Amino acid sequence: MAVLVDKDTRIIVQGITGSQGTFHSAAMLEYGTKIVAGVTPGKGGAEVNGLPVYDSVREAKEAHDATASVIFVPAPFAGDAALEAIAADLNPVVIITEHVPVKDEIQVIHAAARKGITIIGPNTPGIITPSAKQKLGIMPGHVFADGPAALMSRSGTLTYEIAAGMTNAGIGITTAIGLGGDPCVGLTTVEAVQIFEKDPHTKAMVLVGEIGGDAEERAAAYIKEHVDIPVVGFIAGRTAPPGKRMGHAGAIISGSSGTAAAKIKALNDAGVRVADRPSDIPRLLKEML
């Protein structure tokens, strides 16, 4: 079922007049997402995809009782856009934009934490809940089906590939969350596990990580102590050379820290079955469910 967003979530799209905001707001509407308005400073009074555009988040919220935001604002301005959404108490705030300055990411994450607001991203494909027909972001809705398994991932394209494999195998998804590929993200892997652990409709979890950082190791330690339902994992970047960045800003390893081997060992030690290939995940889930 739904976590973080549900059928009652009322969404605004910040940056809706840009090419990405216009294209993906149309795709979200086609999927069924309850978008109520768009926001672009200086473009108030315009209309995009049949949605009214406002100059500020506050105006859009007051006019349409909005509850959440998805941001397609260019990187230099994405931090200010997120702070505006936080100031208006929208929750969650999904930041699709990549290459947001790190200092801006840190400021946004701390501002949201002070108000108990969930930030998804930056550099995320977003969040999708098939049962509620709500997607905030750029995920292709047709590869996601409703079902009992949660999916959380640091990789957008792997999220889509694995979701399609699960759907083809008859294993649906409660909610899928793109955790973001930057070193600094709002919702962490551990926090996502904690959210799904509390969801009575989630009967299994799929955790897709990648090299760099220690998010998967922290999640493994939490899973080992607290999670009773089956968890299947996959770590991308097994053959990446040390010290080389592989696509995501957070996917960089130094020495023995953040390696695929270290993450796989931590997950195995926690009882997580780690797939060798993304295509193995549906089979492992069927064996454990």
Side-chain angles (χ1 to χ4, degrees):
M1 293 294 286
V3 300
L4 296 176
V5 297
D6 59 27
K7 62 180 177 58
D8 296 321
T9 304
R10 298 171 61 81
I11 300 143
I12 64 167
V13 178
Q14 292 178 252
I16 194 170
T17 57
S19 59
Q20 294 298 312
T22 298
F23 177 83
H24 287 291
S25 61
M28 286 187 279
L29 287 167
E30 183 178 2
Y31 184 70
T33 305
K34 194 175 291 183
I35 303 173
V36 295
V39 172
T40 298
K43 300 289 181 67
E47 185 177 290
V48 174
N49 295 326
L51 298 166
V53 179
Y54 294 84
D55 287 321
S56 72
V57 171
R58 181 71 65 184
E59 290 177 277
K61 179 186 176 181
E62 291 178 353
H64 299 277
D65 194 25
T67 60
S69 173
V70 56
I71 295 175
F72 291 92
V73 173
F77 315 108
D80 282 345
L83 291 175
E84 187 181 359
I86 292 167
D89 295 321
L90 298 183
N91 189 15
V93 176
V94 181
I95 309 173
I96 305 300
T97 313
E98 62 178 338
H99 303 311
V100 176
V102 173
K103 63 179 178 57
D104 293 350
E105 293 177 335
I106 293 172
Q107 185 179 11
V108 167
I109 291 167
H110 281 278
R114 285 194 292 270
K115 300 186 78 171
I117 290 172
T118 298
I119 298 292
I120 300 175
N123 194 7
T124 173
I127 179 172
I128 183 168
T129 297
S131 65
K133 302 302 290 182
Q134 292 273 40
K135 75 162 187 164
L136 285 71
I138 64 175
M139 296 184 191
H142 67 281
V143 304
F144 293 84
D146 180 29
L151 174 58
M152 65 203 97
S153 172
R154 289 171 65 187
S155 166
T157 49
L158 276 177
T159 304
Y160 318 152
E161 179 181 346
I162 291 167
M166 292 169 63
T167 297
N168 290 336
I171 304 172
I173 291 168
T174 53
T175 291
I177 303 174
L179 296 169
D182 280 3
C184 300
V185 295
L187 185 72
T188 66
T189 307
V190 169
E191 290 169 337
V193 169
Q194 291 171 332
I195 289 170
F196 286 124
E197 180 193 14
K198 296 173 183 174
D199 176 27
H201 300 283
T202 294
K203 305 303 181 187
M205 300 184 201
V206 178
L207 193 166
V208 181
E210 63 182 9
I211 58 172
D214 63 354
E216 293 80 7
E217 289 91 334
R218 289 174 180 268
Y222 182 86
I223 290 168
K224 187 174 184 177
E225 296 295 325
H226 300 283
V227 177
D228 295 326
I229 63 174
V231 182
V232 173
F234 177 76
I235 301 297
R238 295 179 182 219
T239 60
K244 185 175 180 59
R245 181 179 296 172
M246 303 296 289
H248 284 164
I252 185 169
I253 58 177
S254 179
S256 60
S257 175
T259 63
K263 294 175 185 294
I264 292 169
K265 182 180 185 305
L267 290 168
N268 282 332
D269 289 347
V272 176
R273 293 187 67 180
V274 181
D276 291 329
R277 298 177 294 275
S279 58
D280 292 334
I281 288 175
R283 174 179 57 79
L284 294 177
L285 277 172
K286 282 192 169 181
E287 291 175 0
M288 299 177 74
L289 279 169

